[in-house]
Amino acid sequence: MARVAAPVAAWALTRVGLLLLVLGMVTLPGPDVTSDVEVIYRGWYEVLRTGTFPVDDVSWQYPPGAALPVLSPGLLPFLGYASAFYAMACAADAAVLALLLRAGGGAGRSRAGAWFWVAGVPLLGPTAYARYDVMVTAVAVAALLAAARRPAVAGALAGFGAMLKVWPVLVLLGAARGRATRLSWGAAAGTAAGVALLAAVAMPGAFDFVTAQRDRGTEVESLGALVFHVGRHHGWEGTVELHYGSMEFLGPGVGLVSDLALGLSVVAMGWLVLWRLRAREFTATTGCEAAFAGALLFTTTSRVISPQYLLWLVGLAAVCLTLRAARMALPAGLVLAATGVTLAEFPVWFGEVVGSTGFGIALLAFRNGLLVVATVVACRRLWRSTAAPAGPGSGEAAVPRQRTAREDDLLTW
């Protein structure tokens, strides 16, 4: 009981701090991150209640299932919209903790995942509760934890999550070949198709978000944005403007860099397909490790690295850490550090980032550098543990010796 009480107490203490931040009782320097809830989400809520998606708002760039978290504050009519939204976000946060605590008990398990979640979410500051990503992460974590014993349930949750924000489908990357893959991928496709059909029939504009996503540019916090941050000190004549709901670079060369980012995402997809084809064994840790590595790949190569994306990585890393045999401790630690730096980058010194000052560039380069290293290490470990060729003299079906985490660290560095 004491092992559960300690993380629960730490969670309660840190979440009081988060609620004080989003409710405005304590403030941080920089822009007010709660405006998305109080203005944008509230505006979408009013439109959605009329029976249509907010198709005239280019900042609506989400699959149709996103309507559910936006509408969820209606379940608490005795609270104002913003307060109800924060309460729902806190409830999703608590659900993740409960899932991780349960998953961390028993032989070969660890509650390090629960502690990781307890620490990681508040490191992101008020953004953690001022976006609906914590709700999506709860669905993804539930799907990943269900995958080992209930692949059909995992698939249904992943398909539902994909209709909330696409990325939860990544939790199925490491499904074992055969029955587990058929059940989970089939359930995901069926659930996603069912939700999509229901949304399309019930409300007009369900898939207009595709156009808004296609037309996005290079957001100022992305990896590719570093080119323009530095370029502004060497004669580049572009600007930073609010575009499609985020601060983006506009000007010469932006289209090229955006296309290169999309190309890197395609390469990332190609690597994952190659890994899937080459993987020789699927262990109890493969599912969560593949999901974590996949999410890192797509986050790092994206044209947009919004602060809330770090919640996805924290949640998936936490699931990895519930298994003592998992090999993702180092990349998880790098993600934890990147989450803390993200709070400094947004909102605390966001003005420095938008202004491309030397400090802002250094802060952003450090955060993105941590994500790049975490991605390389996670992918390397995933490949070596599942797809690396067997040693000389061993048969095709031979199982390679599992290195210790210490050996992996030495090999990586």
Side-chain angles (χ1 to χ4, degrees):
M1 182 63 70
R3 292 183 179 181
V4 173
V8 169
W11 179 89
L13 183 63
T14 54
R15 274 41 177 193
V16 167
L18 280 182
L19 288 171
L20 290 175
L21 284 168
V22 292
L23 292 172
M25 298 177 184
V26 178
T27 59
L28 292 176
D32 178 12
V33 304
T34 65
S35 61
D36 273 32
V37 175
E38 295 173 344
V39 178
I40 298 175
Y41 286 11
R42 177 60 186 268
W44 292 343
Y45 174 81
E46 297 297 343
V47 173
L48 289 165
R49 290 178 65 191
T50 67
T52 184
F53 287 91
V55 294
D56 295 327
D57 186 346
V58 295
S59 60
W60 175 262
Q61 301 165 11
Y62 310 108
L68 296 176
V70 173
L71 288 169
S72 65
L75 298 173
L76 304 174
F78 49 88
L79 294 176
Y81 181 84
S83 297
F85 184 90
Y86 304 141
M88 298 300 292
C90 187
D93 180 6
V96 174
L97 177 66
L99 289 168
L100 293 170
L101 285 172
R102 181 179 179 184
R109 301 278 178 159
S110 171
R111 291 201 167 90
W115 278 109
F116 189 87
W117 179 256
V118 168
V121 174
L123 278 180
L124 197 60
T127 304
Y129 280 7
R131 306 291 186 271
Y132 80 87
D133 294 76
V134 67
M135 305 175 192
V136 183
T137 302
V139 174
V141 167
L144 199 49
L145 291 174
R149 296 183 179 181
R150 299 179 179 86
V153 172
L157 287 168
F160 176 68
M163 287 292 99
L164 294 174
K165 210 165 187 180
V166 180
W167 72 266
V169 75
L170 294 173
V171 304
L172 302 182
L173 281 172
R177 290 195 182 98
R179 181 175 180 272
T181 292
R182 290 193 299 271
L183 285 175
S184 60
W185 292 13
T191 302
V195 173
L197 179 62
L198 181 62
V201 170
M203 299 170 66
F207 294 97
D208 285 17
F209 76 96
V210 175
T211 301
Q213 276 289 350
R214 181 194 64 198
D215 294 338
R216 294 196 73 167
T218 296
E219 190 255 351
V220 295
E221 296 163 275
S222 66
L223 188 62
L226 287 168
V227 173
F228 303 112
H229 282 297
V230 174
R232 294 175 85 181
H233 294 270
H234 299 279
W236 183 71
E237 297 179 351
T239 61
V240 175
E241 297 181 21
L242 183 64
H243 188 242
Y244 283 92
S246 64
M247 300 302 293
E248 294 183 1
F249 280 111
L250 300 176
V254 174
L256 174 61
V257 170
S258 297
D259 289 343
L260 287 173
L262 286 173
L264 283 175
S265 293
V266 172
V267 171
M269 174 62 77
W271 185 90
L272 288 169
V273 170
L274 179 62
W275 165 78
R276 178 81 191 182
L277 293 173
R278 292 285 301 274
R280 295 180 297 110
E281 59 177 336
F282 290 80
T283 68
T285 66
T286 302
C288 58
E289 291 175 336
F292 182 45
L296 274 166
L297 276 170
F298 286 112
T299 299
T300 305
T301 61
S302 175
R303 295 171 295 171
V304 179
I305 305 181
S306 295
Q308 60 269 25
Y309 292 8
L310 275 293
L311 276 180
W312 314 349
L313 304 177
V314 169
L316 297 179
V319 175
C320 292
L321 295 178
T322 63
L323 297 169
R324 295 187 186 277
R327 306 155 63 85
M328 294 294 167
L330 178 56
L334 293 169
V335 164
L336 197 67
T339 304
V341 178
T342 298
L343 174 61
E345 172 262 310
F346 181 87
V348 178
W349 283 296
F350 192 57
E352 301 282 333
V353 173
V354 172
S356 301
T357 68
F359 177 72
I361 294 173
L363 194 62
L364 187 62
F366 183 42
R367 195 282 301 272
N368 289 350
L370 287 169
L371 291 178
V372 169
V373 175
T375 302
V376 172
V377 174
C379 291
R380 186 171 185 270
R381 291 188 174 187
L382 177 66
W383 184 275
R384 292 179 70 91
S385 66
T386 59
S394 59
E396 180 65 21
V399 178
R401 180 180 72 88
Q402 295 294 312
R403 290 185 303 277
T404 65
R406 176 60 179 165
E407 287 175 317
D408 241 9
D409 290 345
L410 292 173
L411 284 168
T412 299
W413 295 105

